[in-house]
Amino acid sequence: MNDNNKIVIGNLKMYGSRASNQEHLGLLKKDLNNLKKTHVGLCFPYPYLFQAQSVLEGTQLGWGSQNVAKSDNGPFTGEVSASMLQDFGCKYVIVGHSERSTAYCESNENIATKFKGVVDHGMTPVLCVGETLIEREAGIMERVVSGQLETIINNYGPQLFKNTVIAYEPIWAIGSDLAASPEQANAMCTFIREFIEGANNAKIEGLKIIYGGSVNSENALQLFVLETVDGGLVGRGSLKPEEFIKICKIADQI
Ligand code: 13P
């Protein structure tokens, strides 16, 4: 990935249907296929990956999933492996989203294993990190986020972050209409880069650090214009094609 280009990833969460996706993807394909420099990705529920692949193959748009299994194959009922995602042409895999780690008690250890599996299968993990409101108010957000990154660094080394994406998603900003301020996003994205590159004693090539949590077409410019923020992970703003197109075009104009 070129280091100066922004990346915008839509997390469609558990929304959509075959009919609505068909229309949605058609509009995005028409409007976003000639962006000059921004990478765009869309992360779907598993059953729609085949549809995403059939509509988006051959375009500039990447697609992917919102989770992956820890193991590559075996007796794991209900799980979907990294090699299956690869089989459907996935480029991006969201790992460690707070809606999963809270609801399904996902540990940092599990998240680290998934992150490694995605890299090993030639896809780009989008690792979500971020603190709760209580943790922010207690002033320990850096400690929380560094703890989330440390498991990967300790198990596999900081170089595993090469050509990957980290989304700083403060839990209090997700689904809240209260995005982090540009100052807050800047401070945490800077901290994340310094933490990983400090562990590596050098720059990490191709590492993108993006912001997620109530990104919309009103606040995208003030967040994306920051040099430390390489783009956005967009939830609700990706559900309406016109809104997502606007956000991606804002990124592309910077
Ligand atoms: P919203 O953009 O809806 O706040 O969701 C953010 C998010 O969780 C993206 O992964």
Side-chain angles (χ1 to χ4, degrees):
M1 280 189 226
N2 181 317
D3 271 358
N4 298 319
N5 293 348
K6 301 282 176 188
I7 176 164
V8 180
I9 298 179
N11 174 7
L12 291 124
K13 304 198 178 178
M14 200 174 69
Y15 294 104
S17 64
R18 274 207 298 170
S20 68
N21 291 341
Q22 201 65 21
E23 199 188 324
H24 193 131
L25 287 171
L27 291 170
L28 298 189
K29 189 166 140 176
K30 183 158 83 51
D31 266 299
L32 295 178
N33 201 27
N34 51 9
L35 293 183
K36 291 189 293 293
K37 47 193 185 175
T38 304
H39 305 277
V40 177
L42 291 155
C43 291
F44 287 92
Y46 293 134
Y48 300 129
L49 290 175
F50 178 68
Q51 186 182 24
Q53 184 182 33
S54 26
V55 180
L56 298 180
E57 195 138 59
T59 71
Q60 285 181 18
L61 307 180
W63 60 93
S65 68
Q66 301 165 13
N67 187 30
V68 62
K70 219 168 65 155
S71 311
D72 206 39
N73 52 49
F76 303 108
T77 304
E79 291 290 273
V80 174
S81 70
S83 53
M84 293 171 184
L85 297 177
Q86 196 181 22
D87 213 10
F88 282 89
C90 287
K91 181 162 183 190
Y92 302 105
V93 180
I94 296 176
V95 175
H97 194 285
S98 59
E99 285 161 7
R100 292 203 58 78
S101 24
T102 320
Y104 305 97
C105 305
E106 192 149 50
S107 64
N108 284 345
E109 209 54 56
N110 262 10
I111 294 167
T113 310
K114 291 179 175 190
F115 187 92
K116 172 84 164 75
V118 173
V119 172
D120 287 348
H121 284 83
M123 298 176 289
T124 304
V126 180
L127 173 73
C128 299
V129 296
E131 77 287 353
T132 63
L133 187 57
I134 293 173
E135 289 163 341
R136 173 159 283 268
E137 284 173 351
I140 58 166
M141 56 274 186
E142 292 186 347
R143 201 179 336 142
V144 170
V145 168
S146 57
Q148 292 164 338
L149 299 168
E150 236 158 25
T151 317
I152 295 179
I153 295 175
N154 293 345
N155 288 353
Y156 307 110
Q159 272 292 323
L160 195 69
F161 284 104
K162 195 173 159 203
N163 292 324
T164 66
V165 178
I166 298 176
Y168 169 55
E169 288 212 311
I171 295 170
W172 47 269
I174 296 175
S176 72
D177 287 329
L178 184 74
S181 66
E183 294 70 28
Q184 289 168 324
N186 178 43
M188 285 305 281
C189 290
T190 303
F191 170 76
I192 292 168
R193 187 169 293 282
E194 285 176 354
F195 186 79
I196 299 173
E197 294 187 344
N200 192 44
N201 285 321
K203 190 171 156 45
I204 303 273
E205 293 305 321
L207 168 63
K208 298 275 187 201
I209 301 176
I210 63 178
Y211 168 79
S214 297
V215 173
N216 56 38
S217 59
E218 308 269 291
N219 59 23
L221 181 61
Q222 54 178 8
L223 291 162
F224 296 173
V225 83
L226 298 166
E227 248 174 62
T228 50
V229 176
D230 296 316
L233 181 57
V234 184
R236 284 157 299 159
S238 69
L239 298 177
K240 291 204 180 97
E242 324 76 61
E243 175 70 357
F244 190 63
I245 289 165
K246 268 196 215 162
I247 296 171
C248 293
K249 288 190 171 168
I250 290 169
D252 206 48
Q253 278 158 16
I254 291 168

